[in-house]
Every structure is written in C-alpha cells, then in structure tokens.
Amino acid sequence: MSTASHSRAIPAIGIDFGGTTIKSGLVINGQIARRGTIIDTQQYSGPSAILDALVAVIEDLRKGEPDVAAIGIGLPGLVDSVNGIVHELTNVPGWSDVALRTLLNERTGLHVIIENDANAMAYGEWKYGAAKNGRHVICITLGTGVGGALILDGRLYRGAQLGAGEIGHMSIDLRGRPGPYGNDGGLEEYVGNHQIAERAQERYKGAGDERTITQCAPAELAAKALAGDAIAKQLWEDVGTEVGAALASVVWILNPDTIVIGGGVAKAGDLIFDPIRRAICGRTQKVIHEQLRVVPAALGNDAGIIGNAVLALESEQQARATRL
Amino acid sequence: MSTASHSRAIPAIGIDFGGTTIKSGLVINGQIARRGTIIDTQQYSGPSAILDALVAVIEDLRKGEPDVAAIGIGLPGLVDSVNGIVHELTNVPGWSDVALRTLLNERTGLHVIIENDANAMAYGEWKYGAAKNGRHVICITLGTGVGGALILDGRLYRGAQLGAGEIGHMSIDLRGRPGPYGNDGGLEEYVGNHQIAERAQERYKGAGDERTITQCAPAELAAKALAGDAIAKQLWEDVGTEVGAALASVVWILNPDTIVIGGGVAKAGDLIFDPIRRAICGRTQKVIHEQLRVVPAALGNDAGIIGNAVLALESEQQARATRL
C-alpha cells in the first residue's frame, strides 16, 4: 500500500458552517463514515455559544476514533484561511475577526484549518466528486447567490486577498442590471434564485397571468417547463444562455478541462445544462471546448463536509512533513 | 553568491518571432547584452529558409560567448510549448506542425524552448519589468488584437490546451458586437486597433466631419484628445471603460495583485489608463482593488526577447537538475 492511499484512510472531521445550519461528519477515504448532530445557528447567541456546540459535536464524532488527525471548517463569508481568522460571516451575526483556528485547536488539540465554503466544496468535488482527474477545474454554485471556486494547475487557487473565484460578480453586460459593487451586468443579478423568480413573475404578468413569487421559484419553474409551459421554458433557456456566456468568458481566460455546476438552481437539470453547454460551445474555439467536460456536481450537500476534511488532512500531513 | 543569482548571469538567447520581423538578443541577468540582426520574414520562402536565417543569427550571437546555455523562441499563433511544435502562425504562411524545438536543438546543440508570444512577454515583464514582485499577474496587450497572459501563484498559467489568457475574446456584452468565434461582445471587437479607428471615423461622420481611417488611428486620436478634441476624448473614455470593465471581471475571477497593460494602444497613456483604473475600482470591492497595481508595461518591444531567454534558461536548469 502506498503512503498516499494509506494516509487517506486516516479519519478527519469536516464541518460545513452554513448560514442557518452547521453540518459535520467523520470522513474516511473521502466517504462520510458518521454524521454529527446538525447545529441550528439561530438557536445560539454568538460565536462563543456556537463554538461550545461545535466542540461538543466534534467530541462526539471523535468517540472511539483515536486516529482523527484534523478538523476542516468551511464558512460563508470573508475567511482568512492563511491566518485562520473569520473576518465576517454572511447571515450569521457577531463573527467579527474571530481567530477560529486557534480557538478550536486549543479546545480540541487537533490540527485545524478554516476555508471559504465555495473553495471547500470545490475541493470535495475535485478529490472525490464530479471533477475527479481534472487539473484545471471551475466550480460554480447556482443558488441564492452565484459562487465559484478554482482548481488551477492541480491546486486550489485563492488569489492575492484570497478572494478569487467570484464568477457570480463578473459582468455579462457592462451596461446591464445594476450590481451591488458597481459591477453592472453581474451574472448573479440575472440568475440568482430571487432574480429568476422575479423575472418569471414579470414575464407571466406581461402575459396577463398574475403569480406569486413563490409560484415562480426555480423548482416550480422547472416543473412548469417540463410540463410544457412556454414562458418557463424560455426563461430556463435565457438563464442557461447567461450562465453559459459567463462561463465561455471564463473558458477564454482559464482554458479549464472541467466545469462543475452545483447548487439548487442546477437541479433544473437539462433545462439549464443544455443551454449552458450550447452557449459555451457556441462562443469558444472547437480545439478548446471539444475536450471540456461540463458536469453537474456529484456530492450534493456533502461536498463541503468532504472537501473540508480532505483539506484539513492534507494540511496536517504537510505540517507534519515540515516538522520531520 | 547564491546559486540563483549566479545562474542568472548565464547568457541565453531570446527570440521574438513576430508576424513580419524576428528580433533577437543575447540576454544576461535580464538585460539585452547584444542584439541579433533583425530578420524580415517576408524575404524568406518558408520555414526551412527562415530556420537557416535563424541559425545564422544565433551563431552570430554566440560568438565569443561559450557559456550560452539555451534558446527561447516566442511565436504568435498556436504553439505547443510542451511538445515543442508550432501548429500554425498568425500572418506567416507554411508553418504547419513544425517541430521547431527539435530542429533548432539539432542545428545548435543548445537547449531550446518555444512559447506563445503573449506568455513570453508576460514572463519578461514579471521577472524584470512592470510586474516584478507580483505573484498573481494579469498581462494584457492592446494592439491590432487584444492578447493576454497569466502568472498565477508565481507560475505561468497555460490551461488545459495551453490556450489560457485570451482576455481579448471574453465578452463584455453577451448580446454585443459579433465576435469571430460566436463570442458576441468580445472585448477585441471594441478596442482593437482597427475597431477604435472605425468607431472614431463613425463618430466624426455623425458630427458631419468626414475623416480617413488613417486620420482615426489610435496614435492620431491620442494627439487629438490631448489637443482637446471632444470626440477623441470621449472615445478614449469609452475604450478605457470597456477595457476596465473586462479587467474588473478578471479581477472578480482571479483576484490578481498586478495588472500590466502594454501594446500600441496603451501608448495613449493617461487617456486610457485613467478610465481603465476608474472602471476597475468602480466595479470591484475595495478590499480587493485597494492593493491592486494597474501599471503600463515597462520593457516595451524587449519583453519578448527577455522573457523567452529567461524561460529557456529556467527550463535548461530544470532539465539539468532532473538529470543530476
């Protein structure tokens, strides 16, 4: 057995710290061997109470597992993975410059890493999911927001301020819909969850058909389109074309071998994947796109747990190698 | 003296194979110590005649320099730097799948590398020019075409089919001006040399002022704008905003620390740099752009010669280390 495959059998804990819940698991060989109790962040008053709950879940996952080597936590927001500091969290108040890595290391005695959630999910998909064997991988998550992460030349790419991968904020029309950072025409302003629903509501209204915003949610629109509704079908065509046009620009810049698309909106399946693939192929050179894989994410909600555990394990092994 | 600084004093030959001329030089410590005779590609009938001329220039540059270790050649077109094959050249007929690396190695006995011209220029600017000390560098050349190259995590990034960096083909408006690969709204369709001239001619005509296309060339337009011509000033403002909007999207994706802008059109100076910087800052987060350098290329026409020589030298040293 090679060192590499042996080392992968070492258990690590992966934690997916979301806007409303914290999911966790004991990961062995890229599989979730046991899941931790889900933490509802809204039931806790601040970082220190959440930290206590986290430590309890970790201790529970470690029971009967003396070999657990590391903990990886992915968080939504401004995360300094180099220094282990959470600057701020999206939708979770009170997390202002929390030295989470040191705090958790002191409480558990384990090697700890923290990471941006999109990066961790991409890492999981790359090591054990849809992007396995890729070397230049673009991951994009279509949900309330449009997130992204990059594996370039076989390494997670973070950029100068660890802010790379924000495909949702790139512009598809420099004079288009106003973006939150002056980034007019930002992709998210067209294909975010709420934006899709609003556009659908508007189009139905234009056709004399008043619908609630809930009736226009992406899952509803997908069902409608599959049932033959022309407005819903056209909307998915437009949304897919917009996502595909943005990805075509990313292909011109980065020439990836794999594009992984996940998130709730991607559940529309072929309704969105067909126009995405058509737009990418229709807007790039054949020599570049003919070997490009455009695939749905494979690990679903587990990508974060798995990716964080694998990142933590690799970081721990690197730290140990440096010490030897 | 450290090995690294010592090794840099080893001379290498850099060759900038352009659409009409081939420029070369003996490079020592990132400086051109001696220049080779310029070859006019149009005076030669095909690859083998040009190869003879190249070998003569190389032998001339080596005279009295027994330590020359390597040759680097940058070419415009489809270049397979991994296998050393020129698939096709822009504006130079007859170069179809030429194994240039092997051919030149056999004729000179030296270590040879071939590279895409934009990558070589970016490498020169990174090692000895405007992007020195950068770690995540975007290089863009504004000329007849709009070229680009990327240094990411301190390495030249080429992508899956060695086609990365094509910023000129990314779209700034998915329903904009038709692009050559279906890439509607491609940046080059707005800010390429000819496109700028055509847009200026059109605007002058709209104001009842008929001008030749030569009178509307970027250099003329820069002079006009500096003299206070309102149409020329507005055109530079628009061109800079378009380049800046494209670069802002690249900043969202790659979070670079340095952007280097070169090429003939960049000679318009502040006329184009001011709106470029304004667009980048106005369309990205402060935490990301406040430490970003947006600078003009520093090495001018020498970037290719220097970059090719440095790439060749580093490749030769790596090959030697592998053999030891």
Side-chain angles (χ1 to χ4, degrees):
Chain A
M1 193 187 269
S2 78
T3 316
S5 60
H6 175 71
S7 68
R8 283 200 180 155
I10 297 174
I13 290 170
I15 297 170
D16 183 5
F17 196 130
T20 51
T21 58
I22 303 177
K23 302 188 194 90
S24 57
L26 183 78
V27 176
I28 303 175
N29 263 328
Q31 306 275 331
I32 300 181
R34 210 161 80 227
R35 289 176 192 272
T37 310
I38 293 175
I39 297 173
D40 178 350
T41 56
Q42 275 137 343
Q43 291 193 348
Y44 298 85
S45 58
S48 103
I50 289 181
L51 192 67
D52 287 345
L54 253 180
V55 170
V57 167
I58 290 165
E59 291 311 327
D60 197 49
L61 283 169
R62 288 174 78 179
K63 255 178 216 151
E65 295 285 349
D67 295 337
V68 170
I71 303 171
I73 309 183
L75 306 103
L78 212 53
V79 171
D80 179 347
S81 56
V82 173
N83 296 301
I85 294 164
V86 179
H87 288 308
E88 71 177 60
L89 290 185
T90 315
N91 297 326
V92 189
W95 288 73
S96 169
D97 300 330
V98 175
L100 183 59
R101 188 172 66 192
T102 307
L103 287 169
L104 258 189
N105 170 262
E106 283 169 356
R107 297 279 295 267
T108 64
L110 290 175
H111 183 86
V112 178
I113 61 117
I114 69 171
E115 186 55 79
N116 166 278
D117 58 351
N119 286 347
M121 282 186 270
Y123 212 77
E125 289 289 348
W126 178 46
K127 288 285 176 168
Y128 292 99
K132 249 191 299 192
N133 305 320
R135 186 166 169 80
H136 311 289
V137 181
I138 314 296
C139 286
I140 177 170
T141 313
L142 303 171
T144 307
V146 174
L150 313 171
I151 310 287
L152 302 179
D153 263 337
R155 301 190 297 184
L156 186 58
Y157 178 80
R158 297 182 178 93
Q161 280 79 34
L162 313 174
E166 293 287 0
I167 294 170
H169 291 312
M170 66 180 287
S171 173
I172 56 171
D173 178 358
L174 82 164
R175 293 178 191 90
R177 294 176 162 229
Y181 303 96
N183 56 329
D184 297 349
L187 178 62
E188 196 171 292
E189 306 313 314
Y190 297 82
V191 305
N193 232 315
H194 300 314
Q195 285 82 357
I196 290 175
E198 281 170 15
R199 291 170 75 187
Q201 193 180 36
E202 214 169 275
R203 291 186 187 190
Y204 281 119
K205 194 177 173 179
D209 184 355
E210 296 275 356
R211 302 200 178 190
T212 65
I213 201 77
T214 319
Q215 288 175 315
C216 294
E220 300 297 318
L221 286 179
K224 295 246 161 53
L226 289 174
D229 178 309
I231 287 179
K233 275 164 76 175
Q234 185 58 48
L235 193 73
W236 282 115
E237 182 70 25
D238 293 347
V239 165
T241 302
E242 288 150 357
V243 173
L247 288 173
S249 286
V250 178
V251 168
W252 280 111
I253 302 169
L254 294 174
N255 185 17
D257 50 49
T258 313
I259 296 178
V260 178
I261 304 174
V265 171
K267 288 183 182 150
D270 290 346
L271 287 170
I272 187 165
F273 273 85
D274 284 349
I276 286 176
R277 290 197 180 99
R278 232 180 294 125
I280 293 175
C281 291
R283 290 168 181 263
T284 56
Q285 289 168 293
K286 189 167 180 238
V287 64
I288 298 297
H289 69 241
E290 69 185 349
Q291 291 182 64
L292 173 66
R293 292 184 297 162
V294 179
V295 291
L299 300 180
N301 290 331
D302 292 343
I305 296 174
I306 294 169
N308 281 302
V310 177
L311 276 166
L313 203 55
E314 290 183 1
S315 164
E316 193 273 340
Q317 285 166 350
Q318 208 168 5
R320 204 184 330 169
T322 312
R323 283 197 303 272
L324 287 180
Chain B
M1 193 188 268
S2 79
T3 317
S5 61
H6 175 70
S7 68
R8 284 201 180 152
I10 297 173
I13 290 170
I15 297 170
D16 183 6
F17 195 129
T20 51
T21 59
I22 303 176
K23 302 187 193 90
S24 57
L26 183 78
V27 176
I28 305 174
N29 263 328
Q31 306 274 331
I32 300 180
R34 211 162 78 228
R35 288 175 193 273
T37 309
I38 292 175
I39 298 172
D40 178 351
T41 56
Q42 276 137 342
Q43 292 193 348
Y44 298 86
S45 58
S48 103
I50 289 181
L51 192 67
D52 288 344
L54 254 181
V55 170
V57 167
I58 290 165
E59 292 311 327
D60 196 49
L61 283 170
R62 287 175 78 178
K63 255 180 215 150
E65 296 283 348
D67 295 337
V68 170
I71 302 171
I73 309 184
L75 306 103
L78 213 52
V79 172
D80 179 348
S81 56
V82 173
N83 297 302
I85 294 164
V86 179
H87 288 309
E88 72 177 58
L89 290 185
T90 315
N91 297 325
V92 189
W95 288 73
S96 168
D97 299 330
V98 176
L100 183 59
R101 188 172 67 193
T102 306
L103 288 169
L104 258 190
N105 170 261
E106 283 169 356
R107 297 280 293 267
T108 64
L110 290 175
H111 183 86
V112 178
I113 61 119
I114 69 171
E115 185 55 79
N116 166 279
D117 57 351
N119 285 347
M121 281 188 269
Y123 213 76
E125 289 289 348
W126 178 47
K127 288 286 177 167
Y128 291 99
K132 248 191 300 192
N133 305 318
R135 185 165 171 79
H136 312 289
V137 180
I138 315 297
C139 287
I140 177 170
T141 313
L142 303 172
T144 306
V146 174
L150 313 171
I151 311 286
L152 302 179
D153 263 337
R155 301 191 296 184
L156 186 57
Y157 178 81
R158 297 182 177 94
Q161 281 79 33
L162 313 174
E166 294 286 0
I167 294 170
H169 292 312
M170 65 180 287
S171 172
I172 56 172
D173 177 358
L174 82 163
R175 293 178 191 93
R177 294 175 162 231
Y181 303 95
N183 56 329
D184 296 348
L187 179 62
E188 196 171 291
E189 306 313 314
Y190 298 81
V191 306
N193 233 317
H194 299 314
Q195 285 81 358
I196 290 175
E198 281 171 14
R199 290 169 77 186
Q201 194 179 36
E202 213 169 278
R203 290 186 187 190
Y204 281 119
K205 193 177 175 181
D209 184 355
E210 295 276 355
R211 303 199 178 192
T212 66
I213 202 76
T214 319
Q215 289 174 314
C216 295
E220 300 298 317
L221 285 180
K224 293 246 162 51
L226 288 174
D229 179 309
I231 287 178
K233 275 164 76 175
Q234 185 59 47
L235 193 74
W236 283 115
E237 181 71 25
D238 293 347
V239 165
T241 301
E242 287 149 358
V243 173
L247 288 173
S249 286
V250 179
V251 168
W252 280 110
I253 301 168
L254 294 175
N255 185 17
D257 50 48
T258 313
I259 296 177
V260 177
I261 304 174
V265 172
K267 288 184 181 148
D270 289 347
L271 288 170
I272 188 166
F273 272 86
D274 284 349
I276 286 176
R277 291 198 180 99
R278 232 179 295 126
I280 294 174
C281 291
R283 290 168 182 262
T284 56
Q285 289 169 294
K286 190 169 180 236
V287 64
I288 298 297
H289 69 240
E290 69 185 349
Q291 290 182 64
L292 173 66
R293 292 185 296 162
V294 180
V295 290
L299 301 180
N301 291 331
D302 292 344
I305 297 175
I306 294 169
N308 281 303
V310 177
L311 276 165
L313 204 55
E314 290 183 2
S315 164
E316 193 273 339
Q317 286 165 350
Q318 210 169 5
R320 204 185 328 170
T322 313
R323 284 197 302 272
L324 286 180

